[in-house]
Amino acid sequence: MAAAECASALSSSEKVNFSKLQNGSDIRGVAVPGVEGEPVSLTEPVTEAIAAAFSSWLSDRNKSDTPSRLRVSIGHDSRISAETLQDAVSRGLASAGVDVIQYGLASTPAMFNSTVTEDEEYFCPVDGAIMITASHLPYNRNGFKFFTKDGGLGKADIKDILERAANRYTESKQPAALSVQKVDYMKVYTSDLVKAVRRAAGNIEKPLEGFRIVVDAGNGAGGFFAAKVLEPLGAITAGSQFLEPDGLFPNHIPNPEDKTAMKAITEAVLQNKADLGIIFDTDVDRSAAVDSNGREFNRNRLIALMSAIVLEEHPGTIIVTDSVTSDGLTTFIEKKLGGKHHRFKRGYKNVIDEAIRLNSVGEESHLAIETSGHGALKENRWLDDGAYLMVKLLNKLASARASKPGSGSQVLTDLVEGLEEPGVAMELRLKIDQNHADLKGGSFREYGEAVLKHLENVASSNPVLQKAPVNYEGIRVSGHGGWFLLRLSLHDPVLPLNVEAPSNEDAVKLGLVVLAAVKEFSALDTSALDKFVHTA
């Protein structure tokens, strides 16, 4: 399907619900027609209005210190709608009197970096940056992430921008003269990554010489990492796969949480006898790795590995994670590594903002990382950068090689030695039927909160169970050798249920506790939980 077909235009007289495009601190919508039941919502006129609204938001924010014209950089991942939306964003910015700099194919972390880089050859620093991406979502989706020098925008900022866009959408607009600068900013970004590894290795030119490292970009935007980062450092990257951008993602979803994706990189490592495998999501703000034996470093293992690296550098620091991390990880961070585990809410922005807050009140934290693979370091301006996370792993490889040649990725494997992992780990999604009479006209959020309150009461009266003493999201309960967490989704009428236990039998016992408590809420679809407890 040609990119030009991706955004069917609406006339400005048509109603658009801009608020529905908000997805936490991102904007996401359907950009490509052809999927039944998914009409295009991210059209070119809608996109122009959003870009102009960002310019307006940015102008109001910068009034005191930016007397000259604003400049905004635009980048995109490999999606088939990317270039059409890039042009629409450019028109929207130009209509607001903004200087536009297009980067073309780029990574989300690079877009943030363009707001802090000082290099006039690349028109940096820019006042704001827009990344066109929908992360790992299907090919027909797309969206926007926004940055200033202070980092990514938050939920309140996105709400403000969408409200401005809705107002602008109904105004009559004159076409603006479009002046666009096109630069290859990824040269700057990748050069900085290479310098970081060399610096950590004592300024050795090729600290990874002799290492075989394979990359799986999933046909997203991360293919640069092999040729532009690893090879200049001396690594052999033969066997790397799916490096070419292809917005239809023909090989697998670019997602480190996806089992098919992780199987693909694991097989590539084993087939090529590689020392390490690296996999990125579509826009490179998430990543995972695989050691030479095919052991995956994702989810709790990646958090454990990064915690070990960071706690070597900053003993005793606080590691902030999301709410679904395991009890075994807490024990590993606190008992084995001597750090502190602060389990917070789901949502990468929540986790990062909490780490920033802790530092602001004198509680030192150097790592904020979510189970999904979003990880941010204080030393990297709290940017969730999948490539930078992998640089931290490369630094360990390089330093280990200097002290113990031929050790390969064993140094990484050794760092997670002693991490207790559950026999069973699963997530079920219990949907709330918003049309059910049981809601009595109320919101799904109110209904979900009632479910959680009832479960809390049930758990509190059961002597076998223990409610987590500190918990920021949902109801987390330990018992039968494991734990469960039932929480309300950030955006959807869904109660995700996470269960971890030593065995299926123990997991079923925990599932039965939840099932007995929520059965009376007839608007809640418990079929997935029913199936698990009766067939596991």
Coordinates of all heavy atoms in Angstrom, one line a residue, residues 197-248:
V197 N 30.9 4.4 24.6 CA 31.5 3.1 24.8 C 33.0 3.3 24.9 O 33.7 2.7 25.7 CB 31.1 2.1 23.7 CG1 31.8 0.8 24.0 CG2 29.6 1.9 23.7
R198 N 33.5 4.0 23.9 CA 35.0 4.2 23.9 C 35.5 4.9 25.2 O 36.5 4.5 25.8 CB 35.4 5.1 22.7 CG 35.3 4.3 21.4 CD 35.6 5.2 20.2 NE 35.6 4.4 19.0 CZ 35.4 5.0 17.8 NH1 35.2 6.3 17.6 NH2 35.4 4.2 16.7
R199 N 34.7 5.8 25.7 CA 35.1 6.5 26.9 C 35.1 5.6 28.1 O 36.0 5.6 28.9 CB 34.1 7.7 27.1 CG 34.5 8.6 28.3 CD 33.7 9.9 28.2 NE 32.3 9.7 28.1 CZ 31.5 10.0 27.1 NH1 32.0 10.5 26.0 NH2 30.2 9.8 27.1
A200 N 34.1 4.7 28.2 CA 34.0 3.8 29.3 C 35.1 2.7 29.2 O 35.5 2.2 30.3 CB 32.6 3.1 29.3
A201 N 35.6 2.5 28.0 CA 36.7 1.5 27.9 C 38.1 2.1 27.9 O 39.1 1.4 27.6 CB 36.5 0.8 26.5
G202 N 38.2 3.3 28.4 CA 39.5 3.9 28.5 C 40.0 4.5 27.2 O 41.2 4.5 26.9
N203 N 39.1 5.0 26.4 CA 39.4 5.6 25.1 C 40.1 4.7 24.1 O 40.9 5.1 23.3 CB 40.2 6.9 25.3 CG 39.4 7.9 26.0 OD1 38.3 8.2 25.8 ND2 40.1 8.6 27.0
I204 N 39.7 3.4 24.2 CA 40.2 2.4 23.2 C 39.3 2.6 21.9 O 38.1 2.7 22.0 CB 40.1 1.0 23.7 CG1 41.0 0.8 24.9 CG2 40.4 -0.1 22.7 CD1 40.7 -0.5 25.7
E205 N 40.0 2.6 20.8 CA 39.2 2.8 19.5 C 38.2 1.8 19.2 O 37.1 2.0 18.8 CB 40.2 3.0 18.3 CG 39.6 3.2 17.0 CD 39.1 4.7 16.8 OE1 39.5 5.5 17.7 OE2 38.5 5.0 15.8
K206 N 38.6 0.5 19.4 CA 37.7 -0.6 19.0 C 37.6 -1.6 20.2 O 38.1 -2.7 20.2 CB 38.2 -1.3 17.8 CG 38.1 -0.5 16.5 CD 38.4 -1.2 15.3 CE 38.1 -0.3 14.1 NZ 38.3 -1.1 12.8
P207 N 36.9 -1.2 21.3 CA 36.9 -2.0 22.5 C 36.1 -3.3 22.3 O 36.2 -4.2 23.2 CB 36.2 -1.1 23.5 CG 35.4 -0.1 22.7 CD 36.2 0.1 21.4
L208 N 35.3 -3.4 21.2 CA 34.5 -4.6 21.0 C 35.1 -5.5 19.9 O 34.4 -6.4 19.4 CB 33.1 -4.3 20.7 CG 32.3 -3.5 21.7 CD1 30.9 -3.2 21.2 CD2 32.2 -4.2 23.0
E209 N 36.4 -5.3 19.6 CA 37.0 -6.0 18.5 C 37.0 -7.5 18.9 O 37.4 -7.9 20.0 CB 38.4 -5.6 18.3 CG 39.0 -6.1 17.0 CD 40.2 -5.3 16.6 OE1 40.9 -4.6 17.4 OE2 40.5 -5.3 15.4
G210 N 36.5 -8.4 17.9 CA 36.5 -9.8 18.2 C 35.1 -10.3 18.7 O 34.8 -11.5 18.6
F211 N 34.3 -9.4 19.2 CA 33.0 -9.8 19.7 C 32.0 -10.0 18.5 O 32.0 -9.1 17.6 CB 32.4 -8.7 20.6 CG 32.8 -8.8 22.1 CD1 33.7 -7.9 22.6 CD2 32.4 -9.9 22.9 CE1 34.1 -8.0 23.9 CE2 32.9 -10.0 24.2 CZ 33.7 -9.0 24.7
R212 N 31.3 -11.0 18.5 CA 30.2 -11.2 17.5 C 28.9 -10.8 18.1 O 28.4 -11.5 19.1 CB 30.2 -12.6 17.0 CG 29.2 -12.9 15.9 CD 29.2 -14.3 15.4 NE 30.4 -14.6 14.6 CZ 30.6 -14.4 13.3 NH1 29.7 -13.8 12.6 NH2 31.8 -14.7 12.8
I213 N 28.3 -9.8 17.6 CA 27.0 -9.3 18.2 C 26.0 -9.1 17.1 O 26.2 -8.4 16.1 CB 27.2 -7.9 18.9 CG1 28.3 -8.0 20.0 CG2 25.9 -7.4 19.5 CD1 28.7 -6.7 20.7
V214 N 24.9 -9.8 17.2 CA 23.8 -9.7 16.2 C 22.7 -8.8 16.7 O 22.3 -8.8 17.9 CB 23.3 -11.1 15.8 CG1 24.3 -11.9 15.2 CG2 22.7 -11.8 17.0
V215 N 22.1 -8.1 15.8 CA 21.0 -7.1 16.0 C 19.8 -7.5 15.3 O 19.9 -7.9 14.1 CB 21.5 -5.7 15.6 CG1 20.3 -4.7 15.8 CG2 22.7 -5.2 16.4
D216 N 18.7 -7.5 15.9 CA 17.4 -7.7 15.3 C 16.6 -6.4 15.5 O 16.2 -6.0 16.6 CB 16.6 -8.9 15.9 CG 15.3 -9.2 15.3 OD1 14.7 -8.3 14.7 OD2 14.9 -10.4 15.3
A217 N 16.4 -5.7 14.4 CA 15.6 -4.4 14.4 C 14.1 -4.6 14.1 O 13.4 -3.6 14.2 CB 16.2 -3.4 13.5
G218 N 13.7 -5.8 13.8 CA 12.3 -6.1 13.5 C 11.8 -5.2 12.4 O 10.6 -4.9 12.3
N219 N 12.6 -4.7 11.4 CA 12.3 -3.8 10.3 C 11.8 -2.5 10.8 O 11.1 -1.8 10.1 CB 11.2 -4.5 9.4 CG 11.7 -5.8 8.8 OD1 11.2 -6.9 9.2 ND2 12.7 -5.7 8.0
G220 N 12.1 -2.1 12.1 CA 11.8 -0.8 12.6 C 12.9 0.2 12.3 O 13.6 0.1 11.3
A221 N 13.1 1.1 13.2 CA 14.1 2.2 13.0 C 15.5 1.9 13.6 O 16.4 2.7 13.5 CB 13.6 3.5 13.6
G222 N 15.6 0.7 14.2 CA 16.9 0.4 14.9 C 18.0 -0.2 14.1 O 19.0 -0.6 14.7
G223 N 17.8 -0.4 12.8 CA 18.8 -1.1 12.0 C 20.2 -0.4 12.0 O 21.2 -1.0 11.8
F224 N 20.2 0.9 12.3 CA 21.4 1.7 12.4 C 22.4 1.1 13.4 O 23.7 1.3 13.2 CB 21.1 3.2 12.7 CG 20.7 3.4 14.1 CD1 21.6 3.5 15.2 CD2 19.3 3.4 14.5 CE1 21.2 3.7 16.5 CE2 18.9 3.6 15.8 CZ 19.8 3.7 16.8
F225 N 22.0 0.5 14.4 CA 22.8 0.1 15.5 C 24.0 -0.8 15.1 O 25.1 -0.7 15.6 CB 22.0 -0.5 16.6 CG 22.7 -0.5 18.0 CD1 22.6 0.6 18.8 CD2 23.3 -1.6 18.5 CE1 23.2 0.7 20.0 CE2 23.9 -1.6 19.7 CZ 23.9 -0.4 20.5
A226 N 23.7 -1.7 14.1 CA 24.7 -2.6 13.7 C 25.9 -1.9 13.0 O 27.1 -2.0 13.4 CB 24.1 -3.7 12.8
A227 N 25.6 -1.2 12.0 CA 26.6 -0.5 11.1 C 27.2 0.8 11.7 O 28.3 1.1 11.5 CB 26.1 -0.3 9.7
K228 N 26.3 1.5 12.5 CA 26.7 2.8 12.9 C 27.3 2.9 14.3 O 27.9 3.9 14.7 CB 25.6 3.8 12.7 CG 25.1 4.0 11.3 CD 26.1 4.6 10.4 CE 25.7 4.7 9.0 NZ 24.6 5.6 8.8
V229 N 27.0 1.8 15.1 CA 27.4 1.8 16.5 C 28.4 0.6 16.7 O 29.5 0.8 17.1 CB 26.3 1.8 17.5 CG1 26.8 1.7 18.9 CG2 25.4 3.0 17.3
L230 N 27.9 -0.6 16.5 CA 28.7 -1.8 16.8 C 30.0 -1.9 15.9 O 31.1 -2.2 16.4 CB 27.9 -3.0 16.7 CG 26.8 -3.2 17.7 CD1 25.9 -4.4 17.4 CD2 27.3 -3.3 19.1
E231 N 29.8 -1.7 14.6 CA 31.0 -2.0 13.7 C 32.1 -0.9 13.9 O 33.3 -1.3 14.0 CB 30.5 -2.0 12.3 CG 29.7 -3.3 12.0 CD 29.1 -3.3 10.6 OE1 29.5 -2.5 9.7 OE2 28.2 -4.1 10.3
P232 N 31.8 0.4 14.1 CA 32.9 1.3 14.5 C 33.6 0.9 15.8 O 34.8 1.3 16.0 CB 32.2 2.6 14.6 CG 31.0 2.5 13.8 CD 30.6 1.1 13.9
L233 N 33.0 0.2 16.6 CA 33.6 -0.3 17.9 C 34.3 -1.6 17.7 O 34.9 -2.1 18.7 CB 32.5 -0.4 19.0 CG 31.9 0.9 19.4 CD1 30.6 0.7 20.3 CD2 32.8 1.8 20.2
G234 N 34.3 -2.1 16.5 CA 35.1 -3.3 16.3 C 34.3 -4.6 16.3 O 34.9 -5.7 16.0
A235 N 33.0 -4.6 16.6 CA 32.2 -5.8 16.7 C 31.9 -6.4 15.3 O 31.8 -5.7 14.3 CB 30.9 -5.5 17.4
I236 N 31.8 -7.7 15.3 CA 31.4 -8.4 14.1 C 29.8 -8.6 14.1 O 29.3 -9.1 15.1 CB 32.0 -9.8 14.0 CG1 33.5 -9.7 14.0 CG2 31.5 -10.6 12.8 CD1 34.2 -11.0 14.4
T237 N 29.1 -8.1 13.1 CA 27.7 -8.0 13.2 C 27.0 -9.0 12.2 O 25.8 -8.9 12.0 CB 27.1 -6.6 13.0 OG1 27.5 -6.2 11.7 CG2 27.7 -5.7 14.0
A238 N 27.8 -9.8 11.5 CA 27.3 -10.8 10.6 C 26.2 -11.7 11.3 O 26.4 -12.1 12.4 CB 28.4 -11.7 10.0
G239 N 25.1 -11.9 10.6 CA 24.0 -12.6 11.3 C 22.9 -11.7 11.8 O 21.8 -12.2 12.2
S240 N 23.2 -10.4 11.8 CA 22.1 -9.5 12.2 C 21.0 -9.6 11.2 O 21.2 -9.9 10.0 CB 22.7 -8.1 12.2 OG 23.6 -7.9 13.3
Q241 N 19.7 -9.3 11.6 CA 18.6 -9.5 10.8 C 17.5 -8.4 10.9 O 17.4 -7.7 11.9 CB 18.0 -10.9 11.1 CG 17.5 -11.0 12.6 CD 17.2 -12.5 13.0 OE1 17.6 -13.4 12.3 NE2 16.5 -12.6 14.1
F242 N 16.7 -8.3 9.8 CA 15.6 -7.4 9.8 C 16.0 -6.0 10.1 O 15.3 -5.3 10.8 CB 14.5 -7.9 10.7 CG 14.2 -9.4 10.7 CD1 14.0 -10.1 11.9 CD2 14.3 -10.1 9.5 CE1 13.8 -11.5 11.9 CE2 14.1 -11.5 9.5 CZ 13.9 -12.2 10.7
L243 N 17.2 -5.6 9.5 CA 17.7 -4.3 9.7 C 17.0 -3.2 8.8 O 17.0 -2.1 9.1 CB 19.2 -4.2 9.5 CG 20.0 -5.2 10.4 CD1 21.5 -5.0 10.1 CD2 19.7 -5.0 11.9
E244 N 16.5 -3.7 7.6 CA 15.9 -2.8 6.6 C 14.6 -2.3 7.1 O 13.7 -3.2 7.5 CB 15.8 -3.5 5.3 CG 17.1 -3.7 4.6 CD 17.9 -2.5 4.3 OE1 17.3 -1.5 3.9 OE2 19.1 -2.4 4.7
P245 N 14.3 -1.0 7.1 CA 13.0 -0.5 7.5 C 11.9 -1.0 6.6 O 12.0 -1.0 5.4 CB 13.1 1.0 7.4 CG 14.3 1.3 6.6 CD 15.2 0.1 6.7
D246 N 10.8 -1.6 7.2 CA 9.6 -2.0 6.4 C 8.4 -1.9 7.3 O 8.3 -2.7 8.3 CB 9.8 -3.5 6.0 CG 8.7 -4.0 5.1 OD1 7.6 -3.4 5.2 OD2 8.9 -5.0 4.4
G247 N 7.6 -0.9 7.0 CA 6.5 -0.6 7.9 C 5.4 -1.6 8.0 O 4.4 -1.4 8.8
L248 N 5.5 -2.7 7.2 CA 4.5 -3.7 7.3 C 5.0 -4.8 8.3 O 4.2 -5.8 8.6 CB 4.2 -4.4 5.9 CG 3.5 -3.4 4.9 CD1 3.4 -4.1 3.6 CD2 2.1 -3.1 5.5

